[in-house]
Amino acid sequence: MGKTVVKIENLVKNYAELRALDHLNLEIEEGEIFGLLGPNGSGKTTTISCLLSLLSYDEGTIRIFGETMTPVSYDLKSRIGIIPQNVAVLNELTVYENVDCFCGLYIKDWAQRKQCVDEAIAFVGLEDFVKFRPRKLSGGLLRRLNIACGIAHKPELIILDEPTVAVDPQSRNKILEGIVELNRRGATVIYTSHYMEEVEQICTRICIMDRGKKIAEGTKDELKRTIKNTETIYVEMAEPDSTVFQKMRSLTHVNDVNWADGKLTVGCAGGRHNLLQIMELIRSENLDFGRVYSELPTLNDVFLTITGKELRDKNERPEEPTAKKKK
Ligand code: ADP
Ligand code: MG
């Protein structure tokens, strides 16, 4: 076990009547890319704000690097890089000046600072935009600037709050690769998102949150092992009659069979040839079918099993930029 970087115990945060965090416990070790995954409103940003002492909280304790953070813990803050959910840059300054300004909060030596700023700008790929002001940048480039501002002082702990929302695919990949690279260079990372694919892709350990509570925690494989169905098979076809349903359900490894919206869904546990078995039955019954595919469990299935609802709207496309930001 590595050193503990963050330890949150029994954290409770109320916004008036609303309990945003409900006895949350988290322990994050050095070297992790720790994912906080949960739908909008589950309490991710509130957790980060409490952690950074930007918000007061009602109950519980938080230790960072073994110490208690206060609003004036500048030494602790200098060891942390924060990339906030809402892009926080200064619109009157250029890209270079923005990174320099944030870096300057922690690094006073001019030469050292210049090197850090140049490195951070190169790291996020904004070399060609150093003289631009933020409002001239696309959503993706603005996110990258936000990141450069947070990492230039080379923090040991980097916290990114939904850094890929409304970002084009190219910037998104660059951001995800960048996070992995920062971790490889030694930073511990806390990464919040409601995109399960991203969390799965980069996080070494994941806490799934819902309504201010931790509902599951582990590596992606540990989390998926909690799912009953190890494979779900989909067959586009007309609704089969009840005898076919019965035959299908009696196949070995088949857990549940449902039909809805022109699609048969078969949940299987274990077994290596589930798809073949099912197609064999469909052939022997001489049934017509359209598209056929098989899916392994996702973190959405984990969430669905525990909460009975979807982690996110299936039609939501993370790669599509949403409306333009601000004026
Ligand atoms: P997430 O980051 O996971 O989307 P948040 O931490 O922003 O979730 O919000 C958790 C809950 O707290 C939500 O129900 C949200 O509406 C509520 N909330 C967040 N900030 C405030 C605030 N300043 N005042 C009142 N309620 C808030
Ligand atoms: Mg948030």
Side-chain angles (χ1 to χ4, degrees):
M1 284 289 236
K3 266 189 281 178
T4 299
V5 174
V6 172
K7 187 162 185 166
I8 296 179
E9 287 178 295
N10 281 314
L11 185 61
V12 174
K13 169 68 189 175
N14 301 314
Y15 293 111
E17 298 297 292
L18 179 90
R19 178 151 290 188
L21 295 177
D22 192 356
H23 296 92
L24 184 72
N25 289 285
L26 287 181
E27 195 161 342
I28 299 164
E29 311 240 311
E30 196 172 76
E32 291 196 282
I33 302 183
F34 188 87
L36 270 184
L37 175 68
N40 289 332
S42 54
K44 304 179 297 295
T45 299
T46 303
T47 305
I48 302 303
S49 301
C50 291
L51 191 70
L52 294 168
S53 198
L54 300 173
L55 261 184
S56 63
Y57 41 93
D58 299 273
E59 286 174 46
T61 56
I62 301 178
R63 318 249 319 152
I64 302 188
F65 300 115
E67 293 176 46
T68 303
M69 172 79 98
T70 71
V72 293
S73 302
Y74 298 115
D75 285 344
L76 270 185
K77 288 193 178 184
S78 72
R79 299 170 71 183
I80 302 172
I82 167 76
I83 290 93
Q85 176 168 5
N86 298 318
V87 172
V89 294
L90 301 159
N91 283 322
E92 303 315 315
L93 301 184
T94 63
V95 162
Y96 186 93
E97 289 162 349
N98 261 288
V99 181
D100 189 53
C101 174
F102 283 95
C103 190
L105 297 173
Y106 307 109
I107 298 181
K108 302 299 172 196
D109 179 78
W110 184 85
Q112 190 195 352
R113 186 160 99 218
K114 178 164 191 328
Q115 192 182 346
C116 285
V117 172
D118 286 340
E119 271 181 44
I121 287 172
F123 187 79
V124 298
L126 283 178
E127 301 98 319
D128 295 341
F129 301 91
V130 285
K131 295 221 168 80
F132 281 52
R133 285 183 213 283
R135 71 186 73 212
K136 288 272 166 67
L137 301 178
S138 69
L141 296 183
L142 196 59
R143 284 275 162 191
R144 295 200 225 166
L145 172 60
N146 201 36
I147 294 174
C149 291
I151 63 166
H153 62 293
K154 299 196 165 60
E156 296 159 62
L157 170 63
I158 300 172
I159 302 174
L160 300 107
D161 194 358
E162 308 236 25
T164 59
V165 171
V167 157
D168 60 279
Q170 194 195 350
S171 279
R172 191 179 59 177
N173 287 337
K174 180 124 186 113
I175 289 170
L176 294 176
E177 282 164 15
I179 294 169
V180 172
E181 177 59 20
L182 289 166
N183 175 253
R184 206 188 55 76
R185 293 181 189 179
T188 302
V189 175
I190 302 177
Y191 180 78
T192 91
S193 183
H194 65 285
Y195 299 137
M196 59 177 181
E197 297 86 353
E198 295 184 354
V199 169
E200 251 189 57
Q201 188 184 331
I202 66 167
C203 294
T204 53
R205 215 151 53 86
I206 300 159
C207 164
I208 305 184
M209 291 183 70
D210 187 40
R211 296 164 188 250
K213 287 188 178 153
K214 168 160 78 182
I215 59 166
E217 188 176 40
T219 63
K220 64 171 194 262
D221 292 331
E222 284 165 356
L223 290 168
K224 287 178 182 183
R225 262 185 253 130
T226 65
I227 297 295
K228 176 176 64 143
N229 291 338
T230 53
E231 180 181 14
T232 305
I233 292 165
Y234 301 89
V235 183
E236 287 179 0
M237 61 190 293
E239 187 170 14
D241 63 32
S242 59
T243 53
V244 173
F245 262 110
Q246 249 161 25
K247 284 184 190 170
M248 194 91 55
R249 288 201 175 100
S250 64
L251 293 172
T252 35
H253 304 300
V254 168
N255 262 341
D256 39 65
V257 185
N258 291 294
W259 185 92
D261 303 328
K263 190 166 72 182
L264 190 75
T265 302
V266 186
C268 308
R272 291 166 54 220
H273 303 296
N274 299 317
L275 182 61
L276 289 177
Q277 267 200 117
I278 288 159
M279 295 318 291
E280 193 59 49
L281 179 66
I282 286 175
R283 179 170 66 179
S284 67
E285 297 289 329
N286 200 21
L287 301 170
D288 291 327
F289 60 90
R291 235 154 38 105
V292 177
Y293 52 100
S294 156
E295 278 179 357
L296 298 174
T298 65
L299 293 178
N300 186 57
D301 296 321
V302 178
F303 191 79
L304 186 64
T305 304
I306 301 171
T307 66
K309 57 187 186 191
E310 301 278 334
L311 183 54
R312 66 175 167 90
D313 180 0
K314 280 199 166 151
N315 296 321
E316 186 182 357
R317 294 259 196 79
E319 58 270 25
E320 267 170 18
T322 55
K324 270 253 171 268
K325 311 206 72 102
K326 293 180 196 155
K327 303 126 271 174

